[in-house]
Amino acid sequence: MTDDIRTEESETTAWPQDVGSVARRLEAVLLILDEPHSVVALAAAVSAPVPAVRKAIAALVADYDGEDGGPRRGFELREVGGGWRLYVREEYDRVITEFLGTQQPARLSQAALETLAVIAYKQPVTRGQVASIRAVNVDSVVRTLVGRGLITEVGHDGETGAILYGTTDALLEKLGINTIDELPHISPLLDDGSAGFEEIAR
């Protein structure tokens, strides 16, 4: 009797596995991803079999591309480095650049300055590596730095597919230097990276 109740409860709370339901859950997860995730990782995130996730991805790609008669979206679902992530379509890069340029400049927080220092000295570096050095989550800070045009995506890690970040010419201009090599040398302070950057923060 107890086993029957448990079975009924698990069936009640289980997520639907039809393509539409999987696609909606997948879409919700994709909206918050900063880095490409593999199909296997996405399947675990939405509690669905890998084949069902592949079908859902195909359905979302077709939907965003307007293949089913709907509007072609300003973003796309793209596979990069063995993982999937939402991206602004290339033809709208100028729109985003101009929008960000109209935003009121604000001083960077201490967390943003520390994260920027890590990226400047360790580039190219992934968000996960920066988080490991700072021992805190840096997702929102990285988004802020990208939005301010101080860092940018420079590639993908060959093993994990994670996005690699580096500094931009805009940062050089703000610092009044010509190349990143003109930054003060701190390598004698670094062990795993954290000690040196903690010194800088002080």
Side-chain angles (χ1 to χ4, degrees):
M1 180 69 175
T2 302
D3 290 340
D4 291 340
I5 293 175
R6 287 176 180 171
T7 300
E8 289 176 2
E9 288 178 347
S10 63
E11 290 177 351
T12 301
T13 57
W15 289 103
Q17 300 301 324
D18 60 282
V19 174
S21 297
V22 174
R24 286 190 290 274
R25 299 201 302 276
L26 184 60
E27 193 171 40
V29 171
L30 288 167
L31 283 172
I32 64 169
L33 294 185
D34 287 330
E35 296 181 351
H37 278 51
S38 69
V39 173
V40 173
L42 292 173
V46 300
S47 302
V50 169
V53 171
R54 292 189 189 280
K55 290 180 180 179
I57 287 175
L60 289 175
V61 169
D63 181 19
Y64 300 156
D65 289 348
E67 295 179 5
D68 299 327
R72 187 169 182 265
R73 311 294 180 84
F75 56 88
E76 62 182 331
L77 179 54
R78 191 193 318 160
E79 185 177 20
V80 176
W84 291 87
R85 181 191 168 207
L86 293 174
Y87 292 87
V88 173
R89 291 191 188 276
E90 186 176 354
E91 60 261 42
Y92 300 115
D93 284 349
R94 181 181 171 186
V95 175
I96 299 302
T97 300
E98 291 178 352
F99 169 74
L100 293 175
T102 63
Q103 302 305 293
Q104 281 293 104
R107 295 177 63 87
L108 291 176
S109 66
Q110 184 66 28
L113 288 172
E114 292 174 11
T115 300
L116 183 57
V118 174
I119 295 173
Y121 280 97
K122 302 286 284 185
Q123 63 183 305
V125 62
T126 68
R127 187 166 46 86
Q129 291 168 334
V130 177
S132 177
I133 291 172
R134 292 202 56 230
V136 295
N137 186 295
V138 297
D139 294 0
S140 63
V141 176
V142 168
R143 284 195 294 269
T144 296
L145 294 173
V146 170
R148 296 285 292 275
L150 300 177
I151 65 172
T152 188
E153 298 178 13
V154 296
H156 293 83
D157 184 272
E159 295 184 1
T160 66
I163 296 171
L164 291 168
Y165 292 95
T167 53
T168 65
D169 290 341
L171 176 64
L172 298 181
E173 292 176 10
K174 292 182 181 298
L175 294 177
I177 58 179
N178 293 313
T179 70
I180 208 69
D181 295 331
E182 294 180 32
L183 287 173
H185 295 289
I186 63 167
S187 55
L189 301 176
L190 298 178
D191 294 319
D192 63 349
S194 58
F197 289 115
E198 286 173 0
E199 291 295 327
I200 289 177
R202 296 193 186 99

